[in-house]
Amino acid sequence: MKPIQIEPEIHDLKALEDDLINQLVETRKSYKLSQAQYGKICQLPQSVIGRIETKATHPCISTIIKLLAPVGKTIKVVDIEESH
């Protein structure tokens, strides 16, 4: 395991969060689902999906899992260098 190093130029948390949300939007759209349809599948109100997609809220991990599991996806911890 690598030692933990906090380097601001590498750890732009906002960019990482935006990337994750953009991937959630792309996933929904790849299934040609409206926010309302996706919400029904994920058992979340359309308003929650809308707020996440417009970045008006910061979803917790359990909400992200609820959005991913119905379409056969999950979260994986990877080195930042691998994700970009």
Side-chain angles (χ1 to χ4, degrees):
M1 183 176 270
K2 290 195 261 180
I4 295 176
Q5 297 177 338
I6 304 298
E7 299 172 19
E9 64 273 10
I10 293 174
H11 298 283
D12 181 357
L13 299 179
K14 175 86 171 103
L16 294 172
E17 183 177 357
D18 285 351
D19 185 49
L20 176 61
I21 291 171
N22 291 338
Q23 288 181 45
L24 291 171
V25 174
E26 288 174 23
T27 297
R28 176 182 64 77
K29 289 182 176 181
S30 74
Y31 285 92
K32 299 182 183 344
L33 295 170
S34 68
Q35 290 179 351
Q37 291 168 320
Y38 196 43
K40 189 170 185 174
I41 292 167
C42 300
Q43 299 180 350
L44 292 168
Q46 176 278 325
S47 59
V48 169
I49 294 171
R51 285 193 302 270
I52 291 169
E53 290 187 1
T54 60
K55 300 170 183 145
T57 189
H58 304 280
C60 62
I61 292 173
S62 62
T63 301
I64 294 169
I65 291 169
K66 283 182 182 181
L67 291 167
L68 294 173
V71 292
K73 298 188 180 286
T74 191
I75 300 171
K76 183 177 181 181
V77 177
V78 297
D79 291 337
I80 290 175
E81 296 80 34
E82 287 181 38
S83 66
H84 290 289

